Amino acid sequence: KVVLWFVLLISLIVPINNSAKYKNNNWLLNTLQPIQSISLKQEVQKAEGLYNSYIQNENTTYEEYRKVRDNKYIAYIQYGIFDILLPCLWIIGIIVIIFRDLIIHITLAISNKKSNKVKEKYKNIFEDCKQQLKIKRKIKLINQKYKNYPAIYGIINPKILINEENLVNYSEQEIKYMFMHELSHYKGFDLYLNFLLKIVNIIHWFNPFCYIFFKRIRQDIELKADSIAIKNLQNEEVKQYALTIIK
């Protein structure tokens, strides 16, 4: 299912025109059709030309003149809205979202630099989880206060963010399950899918249908991570893992 979401996200980033073969069958892509190069400039030129032809015609009645004049005004108004105003609002929305994400990224970076040393027991649990999931890549464990619960962060240099002040409320076994879940996101390439999701969100911020599907995609991503973690646990651990994740 996640693969299907991946194909959908790619189709939303790359402007494509569906062929007649898929237009009737693929209702989802039709609903979330990428932004196309739609311009009303030709309609303005057409209305302007028609208006000028009626002006030069001596047999033009006042009713005909008023009709083509009104059509010209309507064409200019539509052009101003759809070719100028809405694209400007779309670009402003993109800038605002990018600026917001940059602030979050900078805040996390500052928080990571001020991070305290991670206790050895958490490092040992973390390394055991990596071995259990057969992950060889170096992934940093960072103790910070920005996020209360473990979360994986970063694509080029992935990190697991933890808050030791909050982890004291959990047993070592529960902490292990949290690490297993976050590392399963890495093993399942969810970092790249989330990055792709963020790009689509920036481009289609105005589309309410996207937020509905994004929520569903994130739910499927979490379920996929759970399935990866469960496959690497003993049968008697599955129940406790589930209780820890929903805790």
Side-chain angles (χ1 to χ4, degrees):
K1 185 182 289 187
V2 174
V3 175
L4 295 176
W5 287 128
F6 178 81
V7 174
L8 171 63
L9 293 176
I10 292 294
S11 70
L12 289 173
I13 293 177
V14 181
I16 57 174
N17 289 318
N18 294 330
S19 63
K21 179 180 178 181
Y22 296 103
K23 280 188 175 180
N24 295 327
N25 298 328
N26 203 330
W27 64 270
L28 185 57
L29 289 179
N30 287 332
T31 303
L32 300 177
Q33 183 70 15
I35 298 173
Q36 302 295 322
S37 179
I38 300 174
S39 176
L40 295 173
K41 188 174 182 179
Q42 291 183 350
E43 294 296 325
V44 170
Q45 293 173 346
K46 182 179 177 181
E48 186 72 40
L50 186 62
Y51 175 79
N52 291 333
S53 66
Y54 271 79
I55 289 294
Q56 296 171 4
N57 190 348
E58 296 179 354
N59 298 324
T60 300
T61 64
Y62 177 74
E63 290 297 328
E64 291 174 334
Y65 162 76
R66 189 175 65 175
K67 183 178 179 180
V68 295
R69 181 198 62 186
D70 293 344
N71 288 339
K72 185 185 75 169
Y73 291 158
I74 292 172
Y76 271 104
I77 292 173
Q78 290 176 338
Y79 174 76
I81 293 174
F82 292 102
D83 278 35
I84 299 176
L85 179 61
L86 291 183
C88 287
L89 291 176
W90 176 61
I91 293 173
I92 290 172
I94 290 176
I95 293 173
V96 169
I97 295 173
I98 292 175
F99 183 73
R100 181 201 64 186
D101 291 345
L102 282 175
I103 292 177
I104 295 173
H105 180 78
I106 292 171
T107 303
L108 279 173
I110 294 174
S111 178
N112 293 342
K113 287 184 178 180
K114 295 180 179 179
S115 62
N116 299 320
K117 187 176 180 180
V118 179
K119 293 180 179 179
E120 285 299 321
K121 72 172 185 177
Y122 296 130
K123 289 182 179 179
N124 293 334
I125 296 173
F126 183 67
E127 290 301 323
D128 289 342
C129 291
K130 285 179 62 179
Q131 290 181 6
Q132 198 165 346
L133 288 166
K134 299 178 181 179
I135 296 175
K136 296 181 179 180
R137 181 173 179 178
K138 183 180 179 181
I139 300 177
K140 292 182 179 180
L141 196 61
I142 295 179
N143 179 25
Q144 44 76 58
K145 295 183 179 180
Y146 185 77
K147 288 183 175 292
N148 290 328
Y149 299 97
I152 191 164
Y153 167 77
I155 295 179
I156 300 175
N157 296 311
K159 312 169 187 67
I160 299 288
L161 308 180
I162 64 170
N163 187 338
E164 288 189 355
E165 293 180 1
N166 188 57
L167 288 182
V168 296
N169 300 319
Y170 297 91
S171 66
E172 290 188 6
Q173 197 69 15
E174 288 175 326
I175 294 171
K176 170 191 172 182
Y177 297 144
M178 292 180 186
F179 287 163
M180 288 287 289
H181 179 82
E182 296 306 322
L183 287 170
S184 294
H185 280 304
Y186 171 79
K187 192 173 181 66
F189 303 100
D190 295 340
L191 295 174
Y192 303 100
L193 188 59
N194 279 321
F195 180 72
L196 190 63
L197 194 65
K198 176 61 67 176
I199 295 176
V200 176
N201 185 30
I202 291 174
I203 297 174
H204 293 269
W205 64 265
F206 59 91
N207 192 335
F209 290 102
C210 281
Y211 293 94
I212 298 173
F213 290 113
F214 290 167
K215 183 178 179 181
R216 180 61 185 275
I217 292 172
R218 290 189 177 97
Q219 290 174 347
D220 288 339
I221 289 174
E222 293 300 322
L223 291 174
K224 182 168 71 71
D226 289 333
S227 67
I228 293 174
I230 289 172
K231 288 178 181 178
N232 291 274
L233 294 173
Q234 300 295 326
N235 292 333
E236 59 271 15
E237 293 181 292
V238 174
K239 181 178 179 181
Q240 189 59 41
Y241 169 86
L243 292 174
T244 302
I245 296 302
I246 64 176
K247 188 173 181 180

